[in-house]
């Protein structure tokens, strides 16, 4: 029998693998990024609402907190739209590697957010990531739009992480998820109505799309969100950080297995990708050690 620590560790890897598979689903689903995210957030919010009803969790929050959660919902909606759009105009590998810069965006935004000084190695790592992106861009200029969209998505994801990092300290994950997902649905619905796209044909989808969207909303969104919070209560932040940084690796491997030739890139792409992923992991290691030394 597996002990509890190993079970939680394997569960964490499963969650990261699921997150990596999100990009693959984005490529498999035929509809555009905006309706894709609308369906994802609508179904996920319904599933989270059912979870809250079963658990009888309170979702009462102050007006100020509600405004913050609704704002975060708009940000995560835009984050997902730009992410899936990046996949559709380039490929999974380009989008995932570029998206992994979100951790560095967070490192640069944290000093502004929390009013602290910049750490020297964050600047160095930032330059290394820029170099990795330069290598990728130079040999894959056809994917420049995809990289630009993925960078915007990474920045939005970093802002969202900082907002949720404070909300999670005083509010239940399920309540945060519900308000943010519903906010994203309302925001995209307003856009679709103004754009004239919200009509009868909007709801006519191929059967394959319905199947993949349900997996995306249920397994990759509602389940993964709540499961990740639960697992993080039993595993050290250091282990969680290292494992989450494997998301682009898992995603690229899955994309190569499923899509084959269309995901194969030049050798310099993988050099640039390795530089970026290694830098993100090194940044996490140093940051975790620095926090540990302060705590002792």
């Amino acid at each position: 029998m597996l002990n509890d620590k190993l079970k939680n560790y394997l569960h964490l890897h499963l969650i990261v693998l699921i997150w990596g598979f999100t990009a693959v689903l984005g490529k498999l689903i035929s509809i555009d990024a905006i309706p894709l995210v609308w369906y994802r957030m609508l179904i996920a919010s319904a599933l989270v609402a059912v979870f809250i009803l079963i658990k009888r969790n309170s979702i009462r929050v102050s007006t100020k907190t509600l405004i913050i959660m609704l704002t975060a919902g708009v940000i995560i909606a835009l984050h997902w739209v730009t992410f899936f759009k990046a996949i559709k105009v380039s490929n999974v590998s380009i989008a995932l590697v570029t998206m992994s810069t979100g951790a560095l965006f967070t490192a640069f935004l944290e000093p502004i957010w929390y009013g602290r000084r910049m750490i020297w190695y964050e600047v160095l790592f930032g330059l290394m990531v820029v170099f990795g992106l330069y290598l990728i861009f130079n040999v894959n200029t056809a994917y420049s739009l995809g990289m630009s969209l993925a960078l915007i998505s990474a920045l939005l994801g970093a802002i969202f992480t900082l907002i949720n990092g404070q909300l999670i300290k005083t509010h239940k994950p399920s309540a945060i998820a519900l308000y943010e997902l519903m906010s994203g649905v309302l925001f995209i619905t307003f856009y679709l109505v103004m754009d004239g796209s919200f009509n009868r044909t909007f709801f006519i989808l191929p059967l394959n799309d319905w199947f993949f969207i349900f997996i995306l909303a249920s397994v990759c969104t509602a389940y993964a969100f709540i499961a990740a919070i639960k697992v993080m209560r039993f595993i050290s932040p250091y282990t969680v950080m290292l494992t989450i940084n494997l998301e682009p690796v898992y995603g690229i491997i899955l994309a190569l297995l499923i899509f084959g030739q269309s995901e194969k890139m030049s050798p310099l792409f993988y050099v640039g990708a390795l530089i970026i992923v290694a830098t993100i992991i090194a940044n996490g290691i140093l940051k975790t050690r620095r926090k540990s030394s302060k705590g002792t």
Side-chain angles (χ1 to χ4, degrees), residues 41 61-78 160 163-164 167 175-188:
M41 298 188 86
V61 296
S62 67
T63 303
K64 181 182 176 181
T65 301
L66 180 61
I67 292 170
I68 294 171
M69 288 180 179
L70 296 180
T71 303
V74 173
I75 292 170
I76 194 62
L78 292 171
F160 175 77
I163 295 173
N164 265 14
L167 288 174
I176 296 169
L178 181 67
Y179 285 120
E180 289 176 349
L181 289 167
M182 290 177 63
S183 170
V185 172
L186 291 172
F187 172 72
I188 297 174

Side-chain angles (χ1 to χ4, degrees), residues 141-273:
T141 52
Y143 297 129
S144 57
L145 177 59
M147 289 183 67
S148 300
L149 287 166
L151 279 172
I152 294 170
S153 183
L155 175 60
L156 291 168
I159 296 169
F160 175 77
T161 300
L162 289 171
I163 295 173
N164 265 14
Q166 292 190 321
L167 288 174
I168 203 70
K169 293 176 182 176
T170 52
H171 297 84
K172 287 185 178 293
S174 54
I176 296 169
L178 181 67
Y179 285 120
E180 289 176 349
L181 289 167
M182 290 177 63
S183 170
V185 172
L186 291 172
F187 172 72
I188 297 174
T189 301
F190 177 77
Y191 170 82
L192 291 169
V193 170
M194 296 300 293
D195 187 54
S197 305
F198 206 62
N199 48 44
R200 193 172 69 86
T201 58
F202 180 86
F203 299 96
I204 301 173
L205 304 180
L207 188 59
N208 280 352
D209 278 359
W210 282 115
F211 175 71
F212 291 135
I213 287 170
F214 184 77
I215 293 174
L216 178 65
S218 58
V219 179
C220 301
T221 308
Y223 164 75
F225 185 93
I226 295 170
I229 298 297
K230 184 178 179 181
V231 166
M232 287 174 191
R233 291 173 180 166
F234 302 99
I235 299 177
S236 71
Y238 175 78
T239 303
V240 171
M241 175 278 305
L242 284 179
T243 310
I244 288 175
N245 285 324
L246 291 173
E247 181 186 343
V249 178
Y250 285 156
I252 290 171
I253 291 171
L254 287 170
L256 283 168
L257 291 172
I258 294 169
F259 300 115
Q261 195 64 36
S262 65
E263 288 293 328
K264 288 182 180 177
M265 310 297 291
S266 66
L268 269 182
F269 166 84
Y270 294 106
V271 173

